[in-house]
Amino acid sequence: MHSLNQHPLMRKYQELNAYGNLLGMTFEVIKEGEVKYTMDVTQEHLATPKAAHGGMLLSLLDATVGVGALSAVCEENKVVSTVEIKVNFFTPILIGDHLTSISTMMKKGKRLIFMEATVRNQRAELVAKASATLNAYDAHKAGY
């Protein structure tokens, strides 16, 4: 396990992220800028009798790029917020699917961080991809 998983800002984020907990998402920092999120698709995530709502998948991707970016700035006592995110959906997410989302940091500037993330199901099929821009700012402004 990477030491960034134990960073106070990471631990506080995990503790206070009610929305992520509601959706059943969990994460692990692999290395700075690279985070692995996982979740299982349940009845509560469905938009149709079989398929999950796209907003749930967008939430997973936003969390993945967000925590990936956070892992790159937490040592500077900074947090991040999403400025923009673009998502491509490739295949439906079905009840019972186990999803794994991995972030990649493309570029880190003084304030802006450019991230990508992919989501795969339990069959290793690419189901969605996102690219995002995040803003880094002092953690005290966010209440940390």
Side-chain angles (χ1 to χ4, degrees):
M1 180 184 291
H2 197 281
S3 63
L4 284 173
N5 286 296
Q6 299 305 317
H7 189 279
L9 283 175
M10 285 291 186
R11 292 176 59 180
K12 192 63 116 171
Y13 172 80
Q14 199 162 23
E15 175 188 324
L16 297 175
N17 184 6
Y19 185 66
N21 293 331
L22 177 71
L23 292 179
M25 300 186 303
T26 60
F27 72 86
E28 175 188 358
V29 178
I30 307 301
K31 64 181 184 181
E32 183 179 302
E34 185 177 334
V35 169
K36 178 172 100 172
Y37 253 95
T38 59
M39 72 176 291
D40 293 316
V41 179
T42 66
Q43 186 75 32
E44 291 78 19
H45 301 123
L46 298 184
T48 70
K50 291 184 181 179
H53 192 282
M56 179 275 304
L57 194 52
L58 173 60
S59 294
L60 176 61
L61 286 159
D62 186 47
T64 306
V65 296
V67 175
L70 177 61
S71 74
V73 297
C74 65
E75 296 283 355
E76 302 166 43
N77 199 45
K78 292 183 179 179
V79 294
V80 298
S81 61
T82 304
V83 175
E84 68 82 31
I85 188 165
K86 178 192 181 298
V87 177
N88 293 107
F89 300 100
F90 301 117
T91 191
I93 305 300
L94 305 175
I95 190 167
D97 279 352
H98 177 75
L99 305 177
T100 301
S101 184
I102 305 284
S103 68
T104 304
M105 185 167 52
M106 306 309 292
K107 181 173 171 56
K108 177 186 170 196
K110 289 182 182 180
R111 289 195 55 185
L112 296 180
I113 304 168
F114 301 91
M115 300 289 298
E116 290 186 348
T118 56
V119 178
R120 294 185 182 275
N121 62 20
Q122 68 277 9
R123 294 176 297 282
E125 297 169 324
L126 181 64
V127 296
K129 182 176 181 172
S131 59
T133 306
L134 296 101
N135 179 50
Y137 59 98
D138 189 274
H140 296 296
K141 289 183 179 179
Y144 289 96

